[in-house]
């Protein structure tokens, strides 16, 4: 496997479901921040030192069985749209795309390891649905396998990281949640504020500093020290279940008390997706969010939900540019996006009593 | 000793150094003033003498005080850099600028107690604490060496860490 295009063509197991609840939780992710002792952190290291760190990190990763057959991408060798596509695919962060060194990804796209992001190593595992406990088992083993006794660790304050917000476990456990009910009911800000008060962060689709396109929010732990990894997982799963219950109540209320309003929104969205000639990225996210909601209310066949999730990734700017040279132009991209969505929805009918 | 007594201006016979929060203060006293302020009282600690000194003299002393430790000796990263970027320079910065970092961590985290996984590789103790298997033992030795070498600022930092970790 050589190119980002070939890598993305293999949609892998990202949509595989190791959890029980995929209605509202689209995916689960755990990432660990690890650093090599006796090396400056990436932000403070010069180019030669960063190259040296990257070589040490790569030699560790070359021996990692979970990456067997995987691919390494050197960030400085990638085109901007390839980096964007990897961001959209949750394989790398925006920070890595701006100043990082390498990323190693497993073929099934369930594991990625970023080199010289904010920390020397950012190890990430990702799966569809709710499944943090299962992911912890996987990433815990990977962490042990990469551990050559040379990680920066202190008995009293744990794994040492470039930013004190990650110190300790170095762990961020997150779930990606689709919350159109709370957004339509205007309860989302109240929910976010309440979660913030209990040490839970809510971010946009692509993490820190990003917008929540398509009513998708990333819910993750704020603290990494003072809790064990299991504590963090239990906390996030508990919070996610509570938010899911609120979301379900909100959906029931909307379909009960504002039935005409919501069905009209869904029908119009379906109409646009079937008939539009061009559509922007943000608008298509909103439309697909309504289709996802409709599939979970029996208005569209549920079997199409995975397709909707897949197109939420593949109609984004970076993906379109990877798959077509013409997509560099915004207008062309909008037409291309509309064509893909028209085709997908052409044989999907709405069922309303 | 060529310095003059801070109280009366006579030639100093006693030199007191006190380190508080990484800031070193030097006070010079003649033998009379030293006696007057309890320096030769067997029940009085040398370090408590500064409590008896008037406010006017405290401000005078501050002119003699050294700046706090502001940078990491391993990587050169400074507190000013941290305040600018929100990131530290290397893993040693946490130990080198321990007081500041632990206060920062207290503000950011649930607590400063690590409750996470024990690394599978047990070489950590030797890597992170200069070959000493026990953190306390390592810090106590570092404190002894710092005092022997009259590095009082370092000694104060290590002492604070010992207190924070072991009471």
């Amino acid at each position: 496997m050589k190119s980002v295009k070939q890598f993305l063509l293999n949609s892998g197991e990202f949509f595989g479901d190791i959890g029980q609840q995929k209605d509202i939780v689209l995916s689960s992710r755990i990432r660990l921040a690890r650093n090599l002792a006796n090396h400056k952190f990436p932000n403070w290291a010069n180019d030669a030192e960063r190259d040296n760190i990257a070589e040490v990190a790569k030699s560790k990763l070359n021996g990692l069985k979970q990456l067997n057959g995987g691919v390494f991408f050197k960030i400085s060798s990638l085109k901007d749209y390839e980096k964007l596509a990897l961001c959209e695919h949750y394989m790398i962060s925006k920070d890595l795309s701006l100043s990082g060194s390498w990323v190693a990804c497993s073929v099934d796209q369930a594991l990625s390891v970023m080199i010289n992001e904010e920390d020397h190593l950012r190890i990430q595992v990702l799966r569809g649905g709710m499944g943090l406990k299962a992911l912890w088992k996987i990433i815990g083993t990977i962490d042990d396998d990469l551990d050559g006794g040379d990680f920066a660790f202190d008995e009293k304050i744990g794994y040492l990281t470039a930013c004190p917000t990650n110190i300790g476990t170095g762990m961020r456990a997150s779930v990606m949640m689709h919350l159109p009910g709370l957004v339509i009911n205007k309860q989302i800000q109240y929910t976010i504020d309440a979660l913030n008060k209990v040490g839970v962060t809510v971010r946009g689709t692509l993490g820190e500093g990003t917008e929540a396109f398509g009513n998708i929010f990333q819910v993750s732990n704020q603290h990494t020290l003072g809790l064990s990894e299991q504590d963090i997982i239990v906390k996030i799963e508990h919070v996610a279940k509570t938010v899911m219950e609120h979301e379900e109540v909100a959906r029931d209320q909307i379909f009960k008390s504002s039935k005409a309003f919501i069905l009209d929104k869904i029908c119009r969205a379906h109409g646009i997706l079937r008939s539009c000639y061009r559509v922007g990225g943000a608008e298509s996210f909103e439309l697909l969010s309504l289709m996802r909601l409709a599939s979970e209310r029996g208005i569209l066949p549920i079997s199409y939900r995975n397709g909707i999730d897949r197109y939420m990734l593949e109609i984004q700017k970076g993906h379109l540019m990877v798959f077509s040279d013409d997509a560099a132009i915004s207008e062309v991209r909008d037409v291309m996006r509309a064509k893909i969505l028209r085709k997908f929805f052409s044989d999907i009918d709405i069922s309303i009593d | 000793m060529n310095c003059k007594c801070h109280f009366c201006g006579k030639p100093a016979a006693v030199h007191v150094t006190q380190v508080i929060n990484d800031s070193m203060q030097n006070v010079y006293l003649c033998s009379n003033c030293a006696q007057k302020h309890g320096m030769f009282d067997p029940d009085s600690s040398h370090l408590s003498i500064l409590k008896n000194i008037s406010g006017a003299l405290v401000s005078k002393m501050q002119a003699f005080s050294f700046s706090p430790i502001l940078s990491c000796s391993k990587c050169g990263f400074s507190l000013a850099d941290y305040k600018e970027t929100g990131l530290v320079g290397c893993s040693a910065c946490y130990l080198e600028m321990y007081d500041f970092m632990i206060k920062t961590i207290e503000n950011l985290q649930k607590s400063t107690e690590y409750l996470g996984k024990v690394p599978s590789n047990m070489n950590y103790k030797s890597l992170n604490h200069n070959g000493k298997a026990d953190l306390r033992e390592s810090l106590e030795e570092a404190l002894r060496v710092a005092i022997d070498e009259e590095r009082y600022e370092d000694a104060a930092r290590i002492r604070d860490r010992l207190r924070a970790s072991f009471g």
Side-chain angles (χ1 to χ4, degrees):
Chain A
M1 192 178 293
K2 289 175 185 173
S3 70
V4 171
K5 185 176 178 178
Q6 286 169 309
F7 173 72
L8 294 177
L9 272 172
N10 182 352
S11 65
E13 293 181 8
F14 171 71
F15 305 104
D17 191 353
I18 62 167
Q20 301 298 314
Q21 297 283 349
K22 220 188 165 193
D23 287 9
I24 294 167
V25 175
L26 280 92
S27 62
S28 303
R29 174 166 61 163
I30 295 181
R31 76 113 169 96
L32 297 176
R34 296 289 184 259
N35 288 283
L36 303 165
N38 306 318
H39 288 275
K40 290 175 187 172
F41 291 140
N43 64 299
W44 195 240
N46 61 32
D47 288 348
E49 289 164 332
R50 286 162 60 87
D51 288 346
N52 184 26
I53 292 159
E55 287 310 310
V56 176
K58 278 170 62 188
S59 69
K60 278 178 175 287
L61 293 170
N62 276 326
L64 187 68
K65 62 180 183 292
Q66 293 88 342
L67 266 178
N68 190 25
V71 58
F72 283 78
F73 293 119
K74 188 177 185 182
I75 299 303
S76 60
S77 301
L78 297 178
K79 296 185 170 66
D80 284 347
Y81 62 83
E82 290 177 316
K83 289 187 262 188
L84 182 60
L86 289 173
C87 275
E88 293 164 354
H89 221 79
Y90 308 116
M91 290 292 103
I92 67 172
S93 66
K94 194 176 172 189
D95 276 357
L96 190 88
S97 76
L98 293 173
S99 57
S101 299
W102 290 80
V103 64
C105 308
S106 64
V107 176
D108 64 5
Q109 303 171 1
L111 165 67
S112 81
V113 185
M114 293 184 272
I115 302 174
N116 282 332
E117 205 244 27
E118 189 177 280
D119 295 294
H120 296 149
L121 290 168
R122 285 280 179 100
I123 311 157
Q124 169 192 279
V125 288
L126 180 75
R127 287 289 197 282
M130 177 99 104
L132 290 175
K133 285 192 183 80
L135 285 178
W136 170 239
K137 279 188 186 168
I138 295 167
I139 202 167
T141 306
I142 293 169
D143 184 34
D144 291 343
D145 291 348
L146 288 173
D147 185 350
D150 53 354
F151 283 159
F153 178 80
D154 181 276
E155 290 163 304
K156 291 291 160 189
I157 49 177
Y159 291 96
L160 304 172
T161 53
C163 183
T165 54
N166 293 313
I167 200 165
T169 58
M171 182 168 114
R172 198 74 60 194
S174 64
V175 287
M176 200 79 82
M177 304 190 78
H178 181 226
L179 305 172
L182 293 173
V183 172
I184 292 168
N185 256 5
K186 298 187 173 28
Q187 291 174 338
I188 192 67
Q189 195 55 50
Y190 168 80
T191 307
I192 291 171
D193 292 345
L195 293 183
N196 287 343
K197 283 179 189 161
V198 295
V200 173
T201 304
V202 182
R203 292 172 170 151
T205 323
L206 292 177
E208 199 168 348
T210 61
E211 273 188 70
F213 288 116
N215 305 316
I216 294 170
F217 297 84
Q218 198 185 92
V219 176
S220 62
N221 58 302
Q222 186 186 338
H223 301 123
T224 54
L225 183 62
L227 302 108
S228 70
E229 291 85 355
Q230 287 82 0
D231 292 337
I232 293 169
I233 287 166
V234 167
K235 183 173 188 168
I236 295 301
E237 290 207 334
H238 173 73
V239 162
K241 279 175 187 158
T242 306
V243 174
M244 277 165 58
E245 285 165 14
H246 285 284
E247 170 66 17
E248 278 162 3
V249 169
R251 290 182 186 189
D252 287 345
Q253 279 176 348
I254 292 164
F255 277 90
K256 191 177 171 187
S257 58
S258 310
K259 190 175 177 182
F261 163 79
I262 190 67
L263 290 181
D264 183 61
K265 270 179 91 75
I266 288 170
C267 290
R268 283 171 186 270
H270 183 254
I272 293 170
L273 287 164
R274 270 179 109 150
S275 309
C276 61
Y277 187 74
R278 67 172 192 183
V279 64
E283 185 187 359
S284 53
F285 257 98
E286 297 306 314
L287 300 171
L288 287 172
S289 167
L290 284 164
M291 291 301 98
R292 196 174 198 280
L293 175 65
S295 74
E296 289 165 358
R297 302 298 297 196
I299 299 167
L300 293 181
I302 189 71
S303 55
Y304 287 100
R305 188 177 59 190
N306 270 4
I308 293 168
D309 289 350
R310 196 176 77 242
Y311 284 118
M312 277 188 169
L313 292 185
E314 294 182 356
I315 57 160
Q316 292 184 66
K317 180 180 174 180
H319 278 73
L320 292 175
M321 289 179 72
V322 164
F323 288 107
S324 170
D325 293 339
D326 300 331
I329 301 161
S330 171
E331 178 74 18
V332 174
R333 215 162 41 237
D334 288 352
V335 171
M336 200 177 281
R337 187 181 291 117
K339 189 176 176 185
I340 292 168
L341 293 171
R342 264 201 327 268
K343 187 179 173 195
F344 179 66
F345 283 96
S346 63
D347 60 348
I348 305 176
D349 293 322
I350 279 182
S351 157
I352 301 175
D353 295 335
Chain B
M1 191 178 289
N2 297 321
C3 298
K4 290 180 179 177
C5 172
H6 280 301
F7 289 89
C8 66
K10 289 179 184 171
V14 177
H15 172 200
V16 179
T17 299
Q18 177 156 307
V19 181
I20 304 170
N21 294 333
D22 293 341
S23 175
M24 187 163 78
Q25 295 172 333
N26 292 293
V27 181
Y28 297 93
L29 303 100
C30 67
S31 54
N32 284 342
C33 290
Q35 197 159 22
K36 192 175 160 186
H37 288 277
M39 275 295 289
F40 301 122
D41 179 352
D43 295 329
S44 170
S45 158
H46 287 195
L47 294 177
S48 70
I49 189 170
L50 296 178
K51 291 176 187 167
N52 301 326
I53 298 172
S54 69
L57 188 56
V58 168
S59 62
K60 197 173 178 181
M61 280 160 39
Q62 282 169 349
F64 288 85
S65 67
F66 287 17
S67 298
I69 295 169
L70 288 172
S71 63
C72 172
S73 66
K74 303 280 184 195
C75 73
F77 194 86
S78 71
L79 286 189
D81 293 317
Y82 176 78
K83 283 169 185 169
E84 193 180 319
T85 63
L87 304 172
V88 299
C90 73
S91 49
C93 288
Y94 285 100
L95 185 62
E96 294 269 326
M97 300 185 282
Y98 188 78
D99 288 343
F100 175 82
M101 291 315 302
I102 210 74
K103 281 176 193 155
T104 304
I105 291 167
E106 277 170 7
N107 289 331
L108 292 169
Q109 297 284 356
K110 193 171 176 66
S111 82
T112 54
E113 188 182 5
Y114 178 61
L115 300 171
K117 70 182 277 189
V118 177
S120 58
N121 196 310
M122 296 310 290
N123 289 332
Y124 283 107
K125 290 173 180 174
S126 61
L127 275 165
N128 287 285
H129 303 303
N130 304 319
K132 293 291 177 189
D134 179 66
L135 174 64
R136 183 173 191 164
E137 193 185 330
S138 170
L139 287 172
E140 283 171 348
E141 185 182 322
L143 179 61
R144 276 193 297 277
V145 171
I147 291 169
D148 285 349
E149 294 175 357
E150 298 187 354
R151 289 184 289 110
Y152 299 111
E153 291 161 317
D154 290 346
R157 195 179 66 231
I158 298 164
R159 178 206 61 202
D160 289 347
R161 180 152 193 218
L162 272 164
R163 282 183 185 160
S165 301
F166 304 104

